[in-house]
Amino acid sequence: MELQAMAAELGYNKTRITKLKAGSCSLTPTEVKYYSDKAELPFEETICELEVMKNPAAARVWGIAAMARNP
């Protein structure tokens, strides 16, 4: 699927997609969900990785959540 078609599904114009590609804006949780679904990736793991990349100290929070899910 082309980026333009994805933008249309989300109700965005091309400018938003261009900004995302350029890294000049952050993904919203809705966008993370949409793109992770398209890529057939688990949403929680995807958002966890994004959050930890932005803030490595958050790894402890996400790590505790991961341990609770997988004892």
Side-chain angles (χ1 to χ4, degrees), residues 7-44:
E9 281 190 0
L10 288 166
Y12 294 156
N13 60 31
K14 282 176 50 176
T15 305
R16 174 73 179 155
I17 301 301
T18 301
K19 287 180 180 179
L20 286 169
K21 284 175 60 177
S24 60
C25 65
S26 297
L27 289 166
T28 66
T30 299
E31 291 165 341
V32 173
K33 174 70 172 143
Y34 176 82
Y35 293 120
S36 64
D37 285 351
K38 290 291 181 190
E40 298 181 0
L41 297 170
F43 170 71
E44 188 172 340

Side-chain angles (χ1 to χ4, degrees), residues 44-69:
E44 188 172 340
E45 288 179 35
T46 303
I47 204 157
C48 171
E49 288 181 24
L50 290 170
E51 287 299 307
V52 170
M53 283 189 330
K54 289 190 303 187
N55 178 12
R60 286 180 287 172
V61 173
W62 288 95
I64 292 168
M67 284 192 284
R69 279 194 323 275

